[in-house]
Amino acid sequence: IQEDEDFRPNFHFSPKENWMNDPNGMFYKDGTYHLYFQHYPDDNVWGPMHWGHATSKDMVKWEEQPIAIYPDSLGYIFSGSAVVDKNNTSGFAKDGKVPVVAIYTYHDMDGEKDGRLDYQYQAIAYSLDDGKTFTKYEGNPVIPSTGIKDFRDPKVSWDAEHKQWLMSLAAGQEIIFYSSKNLKDWKELSRFGEGIGNHNGVWECPDLFPLKVDGSGEEKWVLLVSINPGGPNEGSATQYFIGDFDGKTFKVDDDFKQNIEEEHDYWVDFGKDNYAGVTWSNIPDEDGRKLFLGWMSNWLYGQEVPTETWRSAMTIAREIKLIDYNGELRLISSPVRELNTYEDKGIAKSDLEVSGKILFADSSSVDLSSVIVRYSIDSLNDGYQIILENGSGDELVIGYEKDNNEFYVDRSNSGRTDFSEKFTNKISTAPRIDSSAIHNATLILDAASMEIFFDDGKNVMTEIFFPKQPYTQLSIKAEDGSLKLNTFSAKNIHLQTD
Ligand code: FRU
């Protein structure tokens, strides 16, 4: 029976010890990507929140660093962001050192216990050693509570177009935008959210940013909003909105409004395990990418998953793009290309008629707990299934059903599932967005997670699982031999540990 360290990801970030949730404060500076995270270093469940810290040269191979921000008398340190204040707008620079400024929420546990509603407020802290250690600003909080109970997760970025620091903040089931010249004084600009989008839970972890429509000169603004519960497959998930921002107000396009009202399928990820994801700040213009990463778990069962030493991992870092597809704007995502540099030996096949179940790869050719699988289907008369098995009865099934044009992930027999009923009470589904006859997908498998990017990332599904033995077989199955496979490959991901 596998336990604990066997479930440790091979190439996703997980803390050495104890509890982790949301990614926080992601920024890039001088060749290093920084990732902070909601962390309780003393237990494997949620508790007094700190900002843990990890760094990477490529967003794939992470090194955990000492804790960056500790709770204090103002409260726990909740989610937030970090920016590189190149022009020293904050005045925190010293001896020519560029300040990195973190903006986060204080959560006053005593306030919550006393039943008050004013226990969340926004604060800043600065670092003069590139994000290793932070000094809290003596004028905190920079945005006092307004009496809205859920008032948190400030995401700040430099809005180059309107020359301001721009903050998105979650407040109940709305997002409040603020602007600032110096990261200390904030002025409310506008609010967004009433009457649009999914409201079956609390809105959290927003992120508003401009993004070019791929292949055109057109620029739109994208707003990410995590919601818990209320996800398309229950629990936590992240929805998005597309529109314009004039420096004050974010307004979705009429088309978008109509589409989201008709069928809300504007989800960054349809799987159960990608939450609170936001984008990196300070990515150089030469790079030009929008880079994203989320917490690979769900509040429905995140604190009960069968690992004791540590709990939870982050998704693979992803590039997100805006595309105009069939006259509709859509957000798509794909694993960052840096992952490809770790591809090692594997197998590849092409031109296959699939009849019944065909074994593609087993543990003699690839390690199925550290692999990237790609396939492309030329034609399909019916649905298909991708099946992972271990010979001891555990199976994870990923599939497509033609009748209702839906992708799905079925982990109900994937291994250890008894820790929470909510882990398996629903098979996750995703309405297919692409309308082409050709199906392609990239599937990333780690020891306890799968992330599948269907149709160039138009539908993404991320889910975790805990097989009793490692999966050893990967097959494809098409009921009536009605599937023609163009290509199929499985390549090990191998992170040299030097
Ligand atoms: C989202 C969240 C945030 C909050 C943090 C607390 O998962 O609830 O809204 O800041 O986690 O750990």
Side-chain angles (χ1 to χ4, degrees):
I1 291 268
Q2 295 208 103
E3 48 193 303
D4 248 53
E5 289 305 319
D6 302 316
F7 295 130
R8 174 79 73 183
N10 292 306
F11 59 100
H12 287 79
F13 178 73
S14 61
K16 284 198 183 75
E17 284 185 340
N18 289 320
W19 175 256
M20 172 173 85
N21 57 288
D22 313 2
N24 294 151
M26 289 139 70
F27 75 93
Y28 171 88
K29 187 171 183 290
D30 303 328
T32 301
Y33 295 88
H34 293 261
L35 163 66
Y36 300 84
F37 52 93
Q38 286 288 283
H39 188 37
Y40 180 34
D42 299 323
D43 203 349
N44 59 14
V45 288
W46 192 88
M49 285 291 115
H50 299 53
W51 273 27
H53 185 203
T55 54
S56 172
K57 296 285 172 205
D58 59 11
M59 296 171 284
V60 180
K61 203 167 163 179
W62 291 99
E63 242 177 87
E64 193 166 340
Q65 304 293 343
I67 289 172
I69 310 183
Y70 287 80
D72 58 56
S73 61
L74 289 181
Y76 297 176
I77 314 295
F78 270 22
S79 286
S81 49
V83 294
V84 179
D85 185 15
K86 286 180 221 157
N87 298 319
N88 193 28
T89 60
S90 62
F92 290 137
K94 216 171 151 190
D95 307 326
K97 297 234 170 65
V98 172
V100 173
V101 180
I103 309 94
Y104 58 87
T105 299
Y106 269 120
H107 176 89
D108 172 9
M109 215 50 195
D110 295 338
E112 183 175 3
K113 281 190 204 113
D114 295 348
R116 301 201 316 257
L117 297 175
D118 58 355
Y119 53 79
Q120 296 189 341
Y121 28 88
Q122 322 316 319
I124 61 177
Y126 62 94
S127 170
L128 296 173
D129 56 6
D130 289 342
K132 265 195 214 79
T133 59
F134 284 84
T135 305
K136 287 161 184 153
Y137 173 51
E138 71 279 1
N140 280 336
V142 292
I143 303 183
S145 172
T146 54
I148 301 174
K149 181 161 92 69
D150 298 296
F151 187 63
R152 56 178 181 262
D153 309 338
K155 175 71 166 99
V156 174
S157 56
W158 176 248
D159 170 8
E161 196 178 329
H162 311 101
K163 304 207 169 35
Q164 59 182 347
W165 292 110
L166 173 64
M167 179 195 289
S168 319
L169 186 76
Q173 292 194 355
E174 280 191 310
I175 304 304
I176 309 183
F177 301 111
Y178 294 84
S179 83
S180 174
K181 295 277 168 231
N182 57 11
L183 296 164
K184 294 171 179 162
D185 304 304
W186 294 92
K187 148 174 135 236
E188 182 176 329
L189 295 172
S190 61
R191 299 186 177 206
F192 172 84
E194 216 188 297
I196 187 161
N198 183 311
H199 286 270
N200 298 326
V202 175
W203 285 22
E204 301 182 316
C205 301
D207 191 0
L208 177 69
F209 49 85
L211 197 57
K212 286 243 153 53
V213 178
D214 207 34
S216 89
E218 194 191 1
E219 185 173 88
K220 301 299 286 184
W221 286 72
V222 175
L223 175 66
L224 308 181
V225 177
S226 281
I227 176 165
N228 179 59
N233 287 298
E234 298 185 355
S236 325
T238 304
Q239 57 184 330
Y240 67 88
F241 301 89
I242 302 171
D244 293 301
F245 179 68
D246 62 5
K248 284 204 171 81
T249 312
F250 174 70
K251 199 172 163 291
V252 298
D253 300 349
D254 291 342
D255 286 6
F256 185 89
K257 188 156 199 276
Q258 199 186 326
N259 292 342
I260 201 169
E261 271 164 15
E262 272 164 21
E263 186 188 8
H264 185 345
D265 59 1
Y266 296 90
W267 299 97
V268 170
D269 197 312
F270 289 84
K272 287 198 197 72
D273 299 301
N274 179 357
Y275 192 60
V278 287
T279 62
W280 258 279
S281 72
N282 205 43
I283 298 297
D285 290 344
E286 313 85 84
D287 182 312
R289 289 180 296 175
K290 254 296 155 200
L291 299 165
F292 167 99
L293 168 148
W295 175 46
M296 200 155 52
S297 196
N298 190 312
W299 284 114
L300 287 176
Y301 45 74
Q303 302 187 76
E304 284 134 57
V305 298
T307 59
E308 296 291 323
T309 324
W310 85 99
R311 272 223 179 91
S312 83
M314 294 301 184
T315 67
I316 202 76
R318 302 170 184 189
E319 177 179 2
I320 56 181
K321 286 186 179 170
L322 257 191
I323 58 162
D324 185 338
Y325 185 70
N326 289 344
E328 226 183 274
L329 294 174
R330 286 275 172 188
L331 197 71
I332 60 169
S333 40
S334 53
V336 291
R337 57 171 176 261
E338 284 83 345
L339 183 62
N340 305 346
T341 62
Y342 294 102
E343 277 177 39
D344 200 2
K345 65 178 182 22
I347 54 158
K349 296 178 186 178
S350 56
D351 290 327
L352 277 176
E353 297 259 353
V354 177
S355 251
K357 186 169 161 191
I358 295 190
L359 177 71
F360 265 130
D362 63 15
S363 43
S364 64
S365 49
V366 280
D367 174 2
L368 292 170
S369 351
S370 197
V371 68
I372 180 160
V373 176
R374 297 182 179 90
Y375 59 86
S376 162
I377 294 168
D378 265 348
S379 65
L380 186 67
N381 299 331
D382 206 353
Y384 72 90
Q385 297 186 325
I386 302 285
I387 303 166
L388 275 143
E389 289 161 289
N390 58 7
S392 343
D394 298 342
E395 62 167 23
L396 174 73
V397 184
I398 303 165
Y400 170 70
E401 262 184 22
K402 194 146 187 182
D403 297 347
N404 46 17
N405 195 29
E406 259 178 11
F407 296 113
Y408 63 92
V409 175
D410 182 354
R411 63 180 176 193
S412 42
N413 295 310
S414 60
R416 293 177 63 180
T417 57
D418 55 350
F419 53 88
S420 163
E421 223 171 74
K422 295 180 181 137
F423 190 68
T424 48
N425 64 357
K426 183 179 183 309
I427 293 173
S428 295
T429 58
R432 187 178 187 221
I433 289 163
D434 198 299
S435 52
S436 131
I438 295 171
H439 281 243
N440 69 58
T442 299
L443 168 64
I444 293 178
L445 293 170
D446 205 325
S449 67
M450 56 146 287
E451 294 159 278
I452 190 156
F453 302 81
F454 293 107
D455 302 320
D456 306 311
K458 292 189 192 75
N459 285 101
V460 183
M461 298 182 87
T462 299
E463 300 230 337
I464 55 174
F465 48 77
F466 302 91
K468 292 180 208 106
Q469 303 290 334
Y471 292 129
T472 49
Q473 293 172 352
L474 173 67
S475 314
I476 186 165
K477 186 170 158 192
E479 288 307 347
D480 60 351
S482 58
L483 184 149
K484 261 192 68 207
L485 206 75
N486 183 21
T487 54
F488 175 91
S489 71
K491 294 275 158 65
N492 278 319
I493 297 292
H494 185 61
L495 256 56
Q496 301 81 355
T497 32
D498 39 36

